[in-house]
Amino acid sequence: MSANNKRVYLSPPHMGGAEQEYVQQAFESNFIAPLGPMVNGFEQDFSKLSGLKHCAALSSGTAALHIAQHILGIGPNDIVLASSLTFIGSVSSATFLGAEAAFIDSDYKSWNMDPDLLAEAVEYYIALGRKPKAVVPTDLYGQCADYDRILEILEPHGIPIVVDAAESVGATYKGRHAGKGALMAAYSFNGNKIITTSGGGLLASDDEEIISRARWLSQQAKEPLPYYEHKEIGFNYRMSNLVAAVGRGQLEVLQDRVNRKREIFDLYKEALSGCTGISFMPEAEYGRCNRWLTVILIDEKEFGATPDQVRIALENENIESRPVWKPMHMQPVFSKNKIFGGQVSEDLFKRGLCLPSGTAMTQDDMDRTVKIIKGCGK
Ligand SMILES: *Cc1c(COP(=O)(O)O)cnc(C)c1O
């Protein structure tokens, strides 16, 4: 394979430099076994960055969402309202607990949960005597959901909000970090996220009791006794000290990563500005997106090719791109679940394509990508 045909990935890990030093420190202290000072340090760093007062570092974003909903006491036959346009990790936790997920469509302004449809869903379930137990909006592709409008709808009913902020580390809503203002927020440091620990997650809240309970539950819910005694069933979801060491290094470069992701978005926008039929994911006026992935919409008639034809053309040149998340209400596994609205996320799925957005990508990588996209048009 020639040098100029090297694989361009969607969003590969990009280390900042200090990670190895932190890992080295962890080795030297011999805190290889699960817990240790790096975990505490990572939680403190994240708390400082996000403004959420308490944090529990966990093994994945999915684990954080699971523990969050477990703490809320969600169980069989409860209703959990979630975004339809999201990744399965956002809603599998409701299923783990035996609850029923119902889905809310997106709006075009943010591609996130449409607050008007959420209001409709809340009224619908209250009228049935099944007040939703939680609402889990996703911050899609690094753009915050409209938290204030969502809170305005939920507060009169006392329904808690757990933000799925897996994709929005470093993004802001009205100047606050993603997830701030929610009862709980879940973050992910999976391999392709804006920063990564090689796999990890975190649950944050301003409520200290919630987070100490999350820590306890994530370590098998042991009673504070010299022998192993259990009054409740917990999980094995704690982040390991080595993983947290990587996370501490990554947090140091988060702001650079956000700036670079936004620059990549702007470069694509500029380079594709002449293409009729291509438009970009909007940025809602209330926040600053981290642009985790640059996402475009392709109008087949105007552009002259479908998103899938573009994806295949890119793949043939060893460049990775991906369709927009397939909405949850279109998933076979959720064929019986209720959806409020649905056409917006279906349309975004049909027309959307996520472009390679790695923060270490070169100008040559971008030029190759743009050239192939342009070549697909008429
Ligand atoms: C990545 C992601 C998750 C899951 O995070 P993991 O750390 O991979 O478990 C959940 N929700 C959304 C929206 C995600 O993008």
Side-chain angles (χ1 to χ4, degrees):
M1 199 172 286
S2 69
N4 61 359
N5 194 31
K6 80 172 195 315
R7 179 96 173 139
V8 179
Y9 291 97
L10 196 71
S11 184
H14 181 188
M15 294 296 109
E19 294 85 359
Q20 276 183 310
E21 215 170 288
Y22 283 113
V23 171
Q24 186 66 27
Q25 277 178 36
F27 265 82
E28 278 159 14
S29 67
N30 204 34
F31 276 109
I32 308 296
L35 282 173
M38 288 295 165
V39 174
N40 304 340
F42 182 62
E43 288 174 347
Q44 280 159 16
D45 293 349
F46 198 86
S47 186
K48 209 158 134 198
L49 171 113
S50 66
L52 279 116
K53 292 194 192 110
H54 307 281
C55 296
L58 303 170
S59 53
S60 70
T62 307
L65 288 158
H66 189 192
I67 287 208
Q69 290 173 57
H70 179 90
I71 288 173
L72 292 174
I74 289 165
N77 300 317
D78 286 337
I79 297 288
V80 173
L81 300 176
S83 304
S84 188
L85 192 57
T86 189
F87 171 65
I88 188 75
S90 187
V91 293
S92 49
S93 43
T95 310
F96 296 159
L97 295 162
E100 183 181 325
F103 303 115
I104 314 290
D105 200 7
S106 301
D107 60 30
Y108 280 115
K109 189 179 72 179
S110 67
W111 296 14
N112 281 316
M113 182 180 276
D114 180 334
D116 294 326
L117 289 174
L118 172 66
E120 193 186 302
V122 167
E123 294 308 324
Y124 172 86
Y125 283 108
I126 286 178
L128 289 180
R130 298 181 79 191
K131 187 171 92 172
K133 268 285 183 79
V135 174
V136 185
T138 293
D139 291 344
L140 195 76
Y141 297 123
Q143 168 144 278
C144 296
D146 195 347
Y147 305 148
D148 284 356
R149 285 206 56 209
I150 292 173
L151 284 167
E152 206 177 270
I153 293 159
L154 302 182
E155 267 170 357
H157 304 290
I159 301 169
I161 170 175
V162 177
V163 172
D164 179 349
E167 300 173 3
S168 60
V169 175
T172 59
Y173 176 83
K174 298 184 181 174
R176 312 190 293 265
H177 188 271
K180 176 76 181 172
L183 181 64
M184 289 179 250
Y187 304 88
S188 168
F189 310 107
N190 189 19
N192 67 359
K193 296 294 184 336
I194 189 160
I195 55 168
T196 181
T197 58
S198 83
L202 183 140
L203 184 69
S205 174
D206 284 330
D207 186 325
E208 187 170 8
E209 215 171 296
I210 285 180
I211 296 304
S212 44
R213 191 162 153 71
R215 284 202 193 99
W216 179 73
L217 282 165
S218 71
Q219 292 162 252
Q220 306 285 23
K222 287 193 279 278
E223 291 303 318
L225 290 164
Y227 44 88
Y228 288 84
E229 179 154 302
H230 303 275
K231 294 179 180 162
E232 263 184 67
I233 295 293
F235 308 90
N236 183 6
Y237 277 174
R238 199 75 163 117
M239 181 181 277
S240 100
N241 201 54
L242 285 186
V243 163
V246 178
R248 293 196 77 183
Q250 285 275 279
L251 282 183
E252 289 182 4
V253 293
L254 174 62
Q255 224 25 262
D256 297 343
R257 297 293 178 266
V258 173
N259 294 339
R260 176 65 179 145
K261 289 275 192 190
R262 291 182 62 89
E263 183 182 52
I264 288 168
F265 178 93
D266 291 341
L267 288 169
Y268 274 124
K269 200 165 182 184
E270 174 72 34
L272 295 169
S273 61
C275 299
T276 48
I278 289 187
S279 60
F280 285 74
M281 179 179 176
E283 183 167 48
E285 82 290 342
Y286 54 64
R288 188 168 186 268
C289 196
N290 72 11
R291 296 294 189 197
W292 169 48
L293 297 178
T294 291
V295 191
I296 57 172
L297 294 180
I298 299 175
D299 183 302
E300 183 189 345
K301 283 206 191 77
E302 278 183 51
F303 182 67
T306 64
D308 211 49
Q309 284 167 334
V310 175
R311 185 186 64 76
I312 290 162
L314 288 167
E315 191 53 52
N316 288 340
E317 294 297 322
N318 211 20
I319 297 171
E320 185 183 25
S321 65
R322 268 208 209 140
V324 159
W325 299 126
K326 182 173 184 176
M328 291 301 122
H329 74 273
M330 294 172 76
Q331 299 290 347
V333 73
F334 292 128
S335 61
K336 294 197 177 72
N337 296 50
K338 194 160 170 64
I339 170 74
F340 293 82
Q343 278 139 358
V344 176
S345 54
E346 284 167 29
D347 175 46
L348 295 173
F349 171 58
K350 191 160 161 252
R351 290 195 290 143
L353 190 68
C354 304
L355 302 182
S357 310
T359 43
M361 76 188 289
T362 63
Q363 189 59 46
D364 184 53
D365 295 338
M366 171 151 308
D367 293 344
R368 275 172 61 203
T369 307
V370 165
K371 192 170 158 224
I372 293 156
I373 298 171
K374 282 184 168 168
C376 294
K378 57 184 177 195

